[in-house]
């Protein structure tokens, strides 16, 4: 019974990403760097359906620059009584060689994704990304709202 409490969130997260291919940025494409949230499966929509966005050992992923993309994350957790799954995304127009930070927040039954530009000009090292917007219409991914599943 205890094992099921911990396996179910993992199975839910994997089932929502099982059909996704892994994103490979085309050679020679201008790029930017995105620090992705730990503990979540991150994905990208760049001129097509959602694909898993692989991260490097430093927790960063390369994303295409100069075109509007959508990035997001799938998150699952369990509090021992309920299992939760959530997926959220946000679009942006990355600048070449810029560094970004993806934040994923959950509160109650809702989740959201935000992207900040890393900056040495601010005290906290982050600035709001002015090109941030809603997920793109061509991006097919799991539902944005969190769901609770009884154990």
């Amino acid at each position: 019974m205890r094992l099921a409490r911990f396996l179910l969130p993992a199975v839910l997260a994997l089932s929502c990403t099982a059909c996704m291919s892994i994103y490979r940025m085309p050679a020679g494409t201008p790029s930017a760097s995105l620090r992705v949230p730990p503990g979540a499966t991150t994905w990208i929509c760049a001129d097509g359906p959602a694909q898993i966005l692989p991260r490097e050992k430093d927790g960063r992923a390369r994303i295409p620059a100069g075109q509007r993309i959508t990035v997001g994350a799938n998150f699952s957790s369990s509090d021992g009584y309920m299992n939760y799954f959530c997926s959220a995304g946000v679009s942006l127009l990355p600048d070449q060689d810029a560094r970004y930070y993806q934040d994923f927040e959950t509160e109650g039954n809702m989740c959201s994704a935000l992207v900040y530009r890393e900056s040495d000009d601010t005290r906290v090292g982050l600035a709001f990304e002015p090109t941030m917007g809603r997920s793109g219409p061509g991006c097919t991914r799991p539902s944005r709202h969190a769901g609770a599943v009884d154990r």
Side-chain angles (χ1 to χ4, degrees), residues 5 10 13 33 35 51 65-66 68 75 89-90 93-94 106 109 116 148:
R5 267 191 265 168
S33 172
R35 186 167 29 144
Q51 295 178 297
R68 183 156 292 276
F75 177 78
V90 64
L93 181 61
T106 60
N109 290 343
Y116 300 94

Side-chain angles (χ1 to χ4, degrees), residues 129-146:
E129 172 53 36
T131 67
M132 187 172 61
R134 299 187 127 202
S135 291
C139 183
T140 55
R141 61 182 177 80
S143 171
R144 180 184 167 105
H145 298 287

